[in-house]
Amino acid sequence: MANLPPSLSMNPSYGGPSPPSPSPIASAAAAAAAAAAAAAAAGGAAAASAAAQVPKDRKMASAEQLVLDLCDPELRENALLDLSKKREIFQDLAPLLWSSFGTISALLQEIVSIYPALSPPTLSPAASNRVCNALALLQCVASHPDTRIHFLNAHIPLYLYPFLNTTSKTRPFEYLRLTSLGVIGALVKVDDTEVIGFLLQTEIIPLCLRTMEMGSELSKTVATFIVQKILLDDIGLRYICATAERFFAVGSVLANMVVTLAEQPSTRLLKHIIRCYLRLSDNPRACGALQSCLPDMLKDGTFNNCLRDDPATRRWLQQLLHNVTGGNLGASPQAGLDYMT
């Protein structure tokens, strides 16, 4: 083997010299270049991540500063305006408002400060806008799962009830009632028996009924939604149906609203009214009473056109009439109900 000719050697050069081995310096330089490229790529990714984090951190810092400004009487008005406008983009604003020293007290000061303007009704548009900005922040606290129960335990909704007890139909008062109802609506939007139990210990039912009688269409809609959510909870249904006085107080207001809607239709308001009636029909005593006090306009097809594009509410009305008549649709006038089927 040692004397084999060069052409039969074990590592032939295939007709050319072997390539030179890379020098250690060149290898080290290549490795360093690769490492630098990898580091640059990693650094670029980290920089991109940091860049994405900057706006978020900046927003949070901005929110924190505005919350601090709420405790400064000179800066509070602008802070209220900015926070109420941007509350949707500030994550976890509700816990920040609740946990920051003096913030909730500052918001309550804004509410209490306009009580003297309620009676006689002298509330100005500027004062109404300012307190409604404070109410918008309280709505944020009321709707957040981490602060809702704290909000209830502090009985903060009671501070809003004087606003719901007003009767002036001027724009500042209407805006005030609507925003206050929005806070209560945020509480009941999430099905929570503890919330309903708290509200039933207060005057929320008569206050909502008052708004359902004399408020704007939007205020009536929110107030009726609150009554609906209370009725949908078992303890709420039992409470309202416990006495004839409570049932007929609710039933008479609903009936008057139906008459008004015949002249000025509102599909979204009618939807909540029918849902309230349907839930009342789940109680045997109330269902029996509805046989004589359910408005004829819900039976004779008056609202067929209004409900033409709302199949869910049409089904609710069908079910209501079925419950009230015991399945015997011939027991009361049903003209025009063919469209509902």
Side-chain angles (χ1 to χ4, degrees):
M1 289 288 291
N3 297 321
L4 287 176
S7 60
L8 297 179
S9 64
M10 300 298 292
N11 295 300
S13 63
Y14 296 101
S18 299
S21 300
S23 69
I25 296 177
S27 297
S49 176
Q53 183 71 20
V54 167
K56 182 177 179 181
D57 291 343
R58 189 173 297 157
K59 285 180 183 177
M60 204 59 210
S62 173
E64 291 174 354
Q65 184 57 56
L66 288 172
V67 169
L68 289 175
D69 290 348
L70 290 174
C71 294
D72 186 335
E74 299 297 324
L75 303 175
R76 184 179 300 167
E77 185 171 6
N78 287 333
L80 286 170
L81 180 61
D82 286 349
L83 282 171
S84 64
K85 285 182 176 179
K86 301 173 182 177
R87 64 186 186 277
E88 301 296 336
I89 65 173
F90 289 146
Q91 293 184 347
D92 294 325
L93 176 59
L96 180 61
L97 289 169
W98 186 261
S99 302
S100 300
F101 180 79
T103 302
I104 297 299
S105 296
L107 296 178
L108 294 179
Q109 286 175 6
E110 290 294 311
I111 289 173
V112 173
S113 68
I114 68 162
Y115 282 175
L118 302 181
S119 182
T122 58
L123 185 64
S124 68
S128 176
N129 288 338
R130 175 166 172 161
V131 75
C132 284
N133 288 334
L135 290 171
L137 298 183
L138 289 181
Q139 179 175 336
C140 179
V141 177
S143 62
H144 197 284
D146 293 342
T147 53
R148 183 185 304 114
I149 296 304
H150 299 310
F151 186 84
L152 281 181
N153 289 340
H155 290 194
I156 291 179
L158 299 183
Y159 286 89
L160 281 53
Y161 286 8
F163 302 156
L164 299 178
N165 206 29
T166 58
T167 57
S168 173
K169 295 186 178 183
T170 61
R171 184 180 295 273
F173 281 93
E174 178 58 34
Y175 187 31
L176 183 62
R177 282 191 297 268
L178 178 60
T179 313
S180 300
L181 287 168
V183 179
I184 308 300
L187 283 173
V188 301
K189 191 172 183 179
V190 178
D191 297 329
D192 188 333
T193 296
E194 188 172 355
V195 171
I196 303 302
F198 169 84
L199 293 176
L200 290 177
Q201 297 173 25
T202 69
E203 302 175 32
I204 192 60
I205 297 291
L207 289 173
C208 283
L209 295 180
R210 178 191 291 268
T211 301
M212 290 159 65
E213 286 181 310
M214 51 75 62
S216 66
E217 179 201 336
L218 189 52
S219 290
K220 288 180 178 180
T221 301
V222 179
T224 308
F225 168 76
I226 293 170
V227 172
Q228 171 190 319
K229 295 296 286 186
I230 291 173
L231 280 168
L232 288 174
D233 192 284
D234 288 342
I235 66 169
L237 180 63
R238 285 197 301 269
Y239 177 88
I240 290 177
C241 296
T243 68
E245 290 78 12
R246 291 176 188 169
F247 169 78
F248 284 110
V250 174
S252 63
V253 171
L254 291 174
N256 290 337
M257 294 172 72
V258 170
V259 173
T260 302
L261 286 179
E263 302 172 358
Q264 300 174 339
S266 167
T267 302
R268 61 181 176 180
L269 179 53
L270 180 61
K271 174 179 181 177
H272 294 303
I273 292 172
I274 291 174
R275 191 65 185 91
C276 286
Y277 272 126
L278 178 59
R279 179 55 173 163
L280 285 171
S281 73
D282 289 338
N283 180 278
R285 292 174 60 194
C287 188
L290 287 174
Q291 293 178 4
S292 60
C293 68
L294 187 69
D296 289 339
M297 291 176 179
L298 292 177
K299 308 173 187 177
D300 61 11
T302 296
F303 296 106
N304 282 358
N305 288 334
C306 186
L307 298 178
R308 185 178 300 276
D309 298 321
D310 192 343
T313 305
R314 293 206 308 270
R315 286 194 298 271
W316 289 346
L317 180 55
Q318 267 191 307
Q319 186 62 50
L320 168 63
L321 298 176
H322 176 84
N323 292 353
V324 170
T325 62
N328 180 15
L329 292 179
S332 58
Q334 299 296 323
L337 280 177
D338 291 343
Y339 175 76
M340 297 294 177
T341 60

